Amino acid sequence: MDNKENLINRFLSNLKILFSKLLLKIKGFFIGLFTLIFIKPYELFRSLFLGIKNLIKNIINAYKTERKAFFKGLSSFFIPGLGQIRNKQYYKAIPLFIILAIFIIVELTTGNYIYALTGEIAQYPAEDKLYFFRDYGGFFTKGIWGFFSLGELVRGDMYRGEVIRTFDRVLTWRTADNSRNLLGQGVIALVFLTILGAVWIASIVDAYKSHIKQVKTGMVEPVKQFIRRIWDELFAYIIILPAVILIMFFTLIPFLFSFLVAFTNWTGRIDLGDELIFWTGFETFTLIISDAAWFTFFLDVLLWTVFYAFMSSVTVYVLGLIQALIIESKYVVFKKLWRLILILPWAIPGMISLMLFRNVFADNFGLINQLLANADLTNTVKEILRTIGLLGQGVAGEDGNILWLTSPNNGRLAKAIVIVVNLWMGYPYFMLLITGVLGTIPLALYEAADIDGATGFQKFRFITFPWVLRATAPVIITTFTFNFNNFGAIYFLTSGGPRYESIPNSLRILGAAPGQTDILISWIFKLSFDATVRQFNLAAVYSILIFIFIGLTAIYNLSKLKSFWEED
Amino acid sequence: MKRTLKDRFSRFLKRLTVKNVIIGTFVYGWLFAMVAIVFTPLFWMISVAFTDATNLSQVSIIPNPSEWSLANYIELFTYRSRAGQRFSDYLQAFFLSFQIAFFTMIFVVIVSSLTGFAFSRYRFKAKKKVLLGMMTLQMFPSFMGMIALFMLFSWLGLTGNVYAVVMVYVAGAVPYNTFILRGFMRNIPKSLDEAAMIDGATNLQIMRKIIIPLAVPIMGFIAVTAFMAPWMDYILQRILMQTGGRDTVAVWLFRYMDPLSQDYNPILFMSGALFLTIPIMLIQIYMQKYVVYGLTAGAEKG
């Protein structure tokens, strides 16, 4: 009796501790959320406001105390490099002039200002409104104009007494606006103008500071000394420049473009040239929540994505662990050979394995169906699958192959296969990793356990497993985020199929319904590239949602890595 | 001390207890089952690749050497869709992929060793924010971005251009590799730099003569992963290369596996895939020791 009570008490106290821990976690989560939504923006605005206030104060201060330096800065404010010339630093002025000149030349050569000046405006006067930068602006000004307006005129519109056409070589302003291209051009123009702005500000600050320095030292810094100083001081910036330029072009610009698409109404239904894209703000975001049918699909896909990412990481980890433990156990000889053989699935390129398995599970003449037919097991397996609720295809005892990946009734089966195939491909990686970690566990721990008379399972439970888990925890989270976005695992194996049995009409019109094994990322692919769908704005919205989720997970993961934040 | 066969046998008998036999049977049973699961699809792939069958139904499930034929490979290496092509379609795709992979590897190693060095050795403003920003930006799903890239490449007339695609891959690979290299390089003692600095070495010399040679193993890992990545990346190559009229091997493979494509032919796919798999598999197996190493290098310190 006593023992039982004791047990219950212990259980209750454990429960209490668990509950309070959970409560703390939840509390922490809400506090974090609160800070994120309210405190952080407040702090941001406050620091922004204070920064601007400080800046103005500093400028006024500079005007009062360092008047000469202030005017040199001011001349750089009008033309970058002018202040440097007045400082007699021609080696700084010339590159600054060149940068400005490049921007101006690009603007002038891509624009049609010359026609505007030679009387085209008088010849074709605008009755209503003249879009000067649309008609004559160069790359940057037209880009900015296009970014904010996303175009004004389409084929057939009357403008300045002429009809807008698809393309006009002579009067280029008669060419219809293509909103998509304007948006792209606008993003690129904005990025470049931001860079120009940064250079401009740097030149102002430099002109001001150089003057003060020259007064202090009484000399102009010679060219050679300047170059050496820059090379030394800015060495780190110079060597990360290639990476920054690459990332700006091939990551940042595409990112900004796709981010902005979420706030437009751009779909494949909009015939560019005949119709315009508009800024719609958060309309697309509200659509995915307000449309009930759409929202259920979204939740379905989201749940499956999370389930898939979780299961595919956990199964792979567990099998990898078992495999590593078995091969490392004292019962196994030729460890290296076993490891080499069992590692093969990892060495095969993923896309090939996935497409191979697509054949393996093919409806007709796929390997599995052939094997089952040869062994006369088709119906038995069907029965088993039906009993555990994976198979919904046809009625009991029906002939025919098992439709592993294609029957709308077999959604769960297809999902199971996706996870199993991922397991086949993924376990060797963890087997490798965990084998490596096992080697790092100090033998002294096991010896001590032996002395205390621990059983094999206890040694695993209290030494091996915690050690392995701690060493591999970041990798598990990385795997989870990887699988969350593992487009190939779905696309090459099932292409998202099988389709849902019934699709509500509101979705049928959009034609954008996911398949039963579609995870978010492969659905996004369908939404943006499937020729009959092309819901670009929706795809962009989902991309942003994924990005927020994955980004937060990754930052959390990194924050656990002490080494990342350590200053060196 | 050398043990004789007899010794070994007696030791073996001593260990032959009931418990050990049961566990041993289980362990080996498990291992053989795993091997069977791993190999069944692979053997099937091989036997499909070496048939002259035109339909999967005619392929025997168990590899049967007497029925083997090289018909598929002859087609792979001779079929030219356009007259006057120097190599067959498949080989051309293969070489194109090889080009992309090779240049990606070179540029990734150069660019990420520069950035890795900068991030491990210098203090500069917003260092962590830049690194974190680069790595987070990378996580944005790239499909919509590909539309933007496609527009950019079309304007510049770069669709079908090898280097343009390479640059996209390099931009994608640099942030994570920088992270790994940074983790590795800061374990190299700073005293080495300082000693060199006293001897009058410049920044560039320290990097070239001291840090880079010491970081060779991790750079080998980075080089191989960078080389491997473009082989099987499909979507980007489809958008940026195929529209320029050039197939990479991934695009080729997918074309033969896509039921909607007119080239659909799973048997030819298997032969092409097998041909590609073998070299990649060998490199991967050779490189496996770096996996654990590369994984932990970025994360741990000391």
Side-chain angles (χ1 to χ4, degrees):
Chain A
M1 271 317 276
D2 211 32
N3 215 351
K4 215 174 188 179
E5 238 166 53
N6 212 354
L7 213 66
I8 290 169
N9 274 339
R10 251 173 62 195
F11 178 73
L12 280 180
S13 69
N14 273 345
L15 208 66
K16 235 184 205 165
I17 292 168
L18 202 74
F19 190 67
S20 63
K21 266 187 187 167
L22 202 71
L23 219 60
L24 267 180
K25 279 258 157 96
I26 293 171
K27 203 174 136 197
F29 174 78
F30 277 110
I31 289 174
L33 201 69
F34 183 77
T35 355
L36 203 68
I37 294 175
F38 296 108
I39 311 281
K40 284 276 157 137
Y42 168 72
E43 277 175 0
L44 194 76
F45 280 120
R46 207 178 108 99
S47 61
L48 207 70
F49 176 73
L50 284 181
I52 291 172
K53 205 173 127 190
N54 248 338
L55 187 72
I56 293 169
K57 215 164 107 188
N58 280 348
I59 291 173
I60 292 170
N61 208 16
Y63 175 72
K64 278 179 185 154
T65 53
E66 299 280 351
R67 191 152 304 188
K68 265 190 179 166
F70 174 79
F71 278 112
K72 281 181 179 169
L74 196 65
S75 36
S76 271
F77 174 76
F78 291 114
I79 299 172
L82 207 60
Q84 277 72 15
I85 285 196
R86 291 181 59 190
N87 277 337
K88 295 197 172 51
Q89 290 176 318
Y90 300 105
Y91 49 84
K92 278 185 194 167
I94 289 166
L96 286 172
F97 282 143
I98 290 175
I99 290 172
L100 185 67
I102 288 173
F103 274 84
I104 291 172
I105 287 169
V106 168
E107 172 69 21
L108 289 182
T109 49
T110 52
N112 294 316
Y113 293 104
I114 185 89
Y115 300 117
L117 292 176
T118 50
E120 232 183 60
I121 293 181
Q123 199 180 336
Y124 303 97
E127 290 151 15
D128 184 14
K129 198 175 171 191
L130 178 72
Y131 304 112
F132 181 80
F133 288 118
R134 174 191 181 276
D135 300 350
Y136 301 110
F139 185 83
F140 297 108
T141 44
K142 186 170 184 180
I144 301 271
W145 175 82
F147 181 84
F148 287 106
S149 64
L150 291 182
E152 295 284 354
L153 303 165
V154 291
R155 226 174 344 235
D157 281 355
M158 283 299 285
Y159 176 59
R160 298 170 71 182
E162 300 284 318
V163 181
I164 296 292
R165 323 201 225 159
T166 312
F167 180 67
D168 193 313
R169 189 179 296 277
V170 184
L171 299 173
T172 43
W173 52 262
R174 276 207 314 210
T175 306
D177 288 329
N178 182 331
S179 303
R180 181 194 69 173
N181 291 358
L182 283 173
L183 179 60
Q185 190 179 342
V187 168
I188 297 172
L190 277 178
V191 169
F192 275 100
L193 287 178
T194 313
I195 295 169
L196 180 67
V199 171
W200 207 308
I201 290 172
S203 99
I204 297 170
V205 174
D206 173 76
Y208 175 77
K209 284 192 173 162
S210 297
H211 175 83
I212 293 174
K213 204 172 161 192
Q214 279 171 14
V215 170
K216 227 180 245 171
T217 56
M219 60 174 272
V220 180
E221 192 180 24
V223 190
K224 268 188 186 167
Q225 199 184 326
F226 168 72
I227 290 175
R228 185 167 306 150
R229 187 171 62 84
I230 289 290
W231 180 249
D232 277 347
E233 278 179 10
L234 300 186
F235 186 71
Y237 290 103
I238 293 168
I239 60 176
I240 65 169
L241 208 58
V244 170
I245 290 173
L246 278 175
I247 286 169
M248 195 183 83
F249 263 100
F250 299 117
T251 311
L252 182 66
I253 289 176
F255 162 76
L256 288 175
F257 178 83
S258 24
F259 185 81
L260 290 167
V261 166
F263 303 95
T264 67
N265 64 344
W266 183 28
T267 66
R269 264 146 236 273
I270 289 187
D271 194 359
L272 296 171
D274 273 338
E275 289 168 78
L276 295 169
I277 301 172
F278 295 106
W279 290 113
T280 54
F282 286 91
E283 227 166 75
T284 323
F285 287 85
T286 45
L287 169 81
I288 61 167
I289 298 171
S290 58
D291 185 335
W294 193 269
F295 192 59
T296 34
F297 263 101
F298 169 64
L299 279 187
D300 226 31
V301 174
L302 181 69
L303 268 180
W304 161 237
T305 308
V306 173
F307 182 75
Y308 162 74
F310 179 76
M311 280 307 281
S312 55
S313 316
V314 169
T315 50
V316 156
Y317 189 85
V318 170
L319 188 61
L321 181 66
I322 293 175
Q323 215 58 263
L325 286 174
I326 283 187
I327 292 182
E328 290 303 300
S329 76
K330 59 185 176 188
Y331 299 98
V332 176
V333 288
F334 307 126
K335 293 187 190 330
K336 268 197 173 166
L337 181 71
W338 287 111
R339 218 177 290 142
L340 187 70
I341 292 172
L342 290 175
I343 228 164
L344 280 181
W346 169 77
I348 300 169
M351 180 182 162
I352 287 181
S353 315
L354 287 162
M355 296 205 285
L356 170 66
F357 273 103
R358 194 185 195 146
N359 279 324
V360 166
F361 288 106
D363 295 344
N364 302 314
F365 319 123
L367 174 65
I368 300 280
N369 276 341
Q370 280 196 58
L371 279 177
L372 290 180
N374 277 10
D376 210 12
L377 281 172
T378 309
N379 284 328
T380 325
V381 173
K382 262 188 189 171
E383 277 314 310
I384 295 171
L385 287 175
R386 193 165 285 134
T387 335
I388 55 175
L390 286 178
L391 193 75
Q393 164 201 346
V395 284
E398 190 192 26
D399 284 339
N401 290 328
I402 302 176
L403 305 175
W404 298 95
L405 299 173
T406 51
S407 167
N409 297 318
N410 292 356
R412 277 194 211 147
L413 185 63
K415 285 178 179 179
I417 286 170
V418 167
I419 290 174
V420 168
V421 169
N422 185 76
L423 181 61
W424 188 90
M425 293 168 54
Y427 82 87
Y429 180 71
F430 276 98
M431 185 179 90
L432 263 183
L433 187 70
I434 292 172
T435 309
V437 173
L438 286 179
T440 65
I441 305 178
L443 283 177
L445 288 180
Y446 290 111
E447 282 158 16
D450 279 335
I451 291 167
D452 291 345
T455 62
F457 179 74
Q458 279 173 331
K459 276 189 273 186
F460 170 76
R461 166 79 181 76
F462 292 106
I463 302 174
T464 318
F465 188 64
W467 188 283
V468 169
L469 196 63
R470 206 176 44 214
T472 51
V475 187
I476 301 176
I477 298 181
T478 319
T479 313
F480 178 80
T481 53
F482 172 77
N483 279 326
F484 198 89
N485 264 345
N486 196 344
F487 165 74
I490 305 297
Y491 187 69
F492 296 129
L493 184 63
T494 67
S495 296
R499 61 188 168 74
Y500 278 96
E501 221 168 335
S502 62
I503 297 161
N505 277 331
S506 61
L507 288 190
R508 218 187 284 276
I509 294 164
L510 288 167
Q516 291 196 44
T517 54
D518 259 328
I519 55 175
L520 274 173
I521 190 81
S522 62
W523 193 21
I524 288 177
F525 177 80
K526 273 189 185 167
L527 285 172
S528 46
F529 283 103
D530 198 322
T532 57
V533 186
R534 304 219 168 189
Q535 298 281 329
F536 299 111
N537 54 351
L538 273 174
V541 168
Y542 287 138
S543 299
I544 291 175
L545 292 183
I546 288 191
F547 178 62
I548 292 171
F549 180 77
I550 297 289
L552 286 182
T553 320
I555 289 173
Y556 172 81
N557 198 15
L558 275 178
S559 73
K560 291 275 159 190
L561 282 181
K562 276 214 180 85
S563 65
F564 183 82
W565 303 100
E566 258 169 38
E567 197 43 77
D568 32 14
Chain B
M1 199 175 81
K2 214 176 167 189
R3 276 181 282 160
T4 60
L5 205 61
K6 204 178 153 196
D7 271 349
R8 280 192 184 187
F9 189 66
S10 63
R11 271 173 66 90
F12 173 72
L13 279 184
K14 211 181 275 171
R15 273 169 55 189
L16 204 65
T17 60
V18 176
K19 187 184 155 206
N20 280 0
V21 168
I22 290 171
I23 293 179
T25 323
F26 172 75
V27 162
Y28 281 101
W30 172 277
L31 284 176
F32 278 111
M34 281 305 292
V35 169
I37 291 171
V38 166
F39 273 113
T40 316
L42 297 182
F43 276 138
W44 188 58
M45 187 182 185
I46 293 169
S47 72
V48 173
F50 287 101
T51 59
D52 52 359
T54 50
N55 193 318
L56 279 180
S57 65
Q58 299 159 0
V59 182
S60 62
I61 299 166
I62 297 138
N64 184 357
S66 63
E67 284 178 6
W68 281 9
S69 117
L70 287 173
N72 288 324
Y73 284 95
I74 293 167
E75 188 178 348
L76 275 189
F77 295 135
T78 56
Y79 175 71
R80 295 170 172 81
S81 59
R82 267 169 294 181
Q85 236 170 242
R86 222 170 126 204
F87 298 106
S88 70
D89 280 12
Y90 178 77
L91 282 181
Q92 216 158 31
F94 184 85
F95 290 138
L96 185 61
S97 282
F98 185 84
Q99 259 184 343
I100 293 175
F102 181 74
F103 288 117
T104 304
M105 177 182 77
I106 303 252
F107 285 114
V108 163
V109 168
I110 293 174
V111 175
S112 47
S113 59
L114 285 174
T115 37
F117 180 69
F119 278 102
S120 69
R121 280 307 196 255
Y122 294 96
R123 283 159 183 262
F124 47 89
K125 257 189 199 164
K127 180 164 124 178
K128 256 166 213 155
K129 278 177 194 148
V130 171
L131 186 59
L132 201 64
M134 285 198 319
M135 288 175 67
T136 343
L137 209 54
Q138 215 53 57
M139 284 158 204
F140 195 81
S142 52
F143 295 130
M144 294 302 295
M146 283 179 193
I147 295 174
L149 276 179
F150 177 69
M151 272 161 54
L152 194 69
F153 279 34
S154 309
W155 285 339
L156 302 172
L158 288 175
T159 47
N161 184 310
V162 172
Y163 294 99
V165 181
V166 166
M167 287 305 142
V168 179
Y169 281 126
V170 176
V174 159
Y176 184 65
N177 287 332
T178 301
F179 176 66
I180 287 183
L181 265 170
R182 165 181 175 268
F184 185 88
M185 282 179 174
R186 59 193 210 169
N187 287 343
I188 300 171
K190 279 232 167 91
S191 52
L192 287 178
D193 304 29
E194 281 151 18
M197 204 100 81
I198 290 166
D199 290 342
T202 61
N203 284 321
L204 212 57
Q205 279 172 332
I206 293 175
M207 183 173 85
R208 243 184 39 223
K209 301 242 168 86
I210 299 175
I211 308 294
I212 302 278
L214 284 172
V216 160
I218 194 78
M219 278 164 66
F221 167 75
I222 287 172
V224 171
T225 41
F227 184 78
M228 287 300 167
W231 284 101
M232 286 298 124
D233 186 72
Y234 166 67
I235 301 297
L236 188 76
Q237 290 173 14
R238 185 180 97 178
I239 290 166
L240 297 183
M241 299 299 289
Q242 204 182 16
T243 46
R246 303 179 76 181
D247 277 2
T248 59
V249 86
V251 173
W252 187 95
L253 284 173
F254 193 81
R255 214 148 45 95
Y256 280 80
M257 253 319 283
D258 184 7
L260 301 175
S261 145
Q262 54 181 4
D263 291 322
Y264 177 65
N265 183 352
I267 295 186
L268 211 56
F269 158 80
M270 294 277 203
S271 358
L274 186 68
F275 179 78
L276 185 67
T277 302
I278 288 166
I280 290 185
M281 208 156 79
L282 292 179
I283 300 177
Q284 289 280 73
I285 287 173
Y286 178 71
M287 290 305 293
Q288 57 162 300
K289 59 180 174 228
Y290 289 116
V291 173
V292 181
Y293 191 59
L295 274 173
T296 45
E300 277 174 34
K301 190 180 180 185

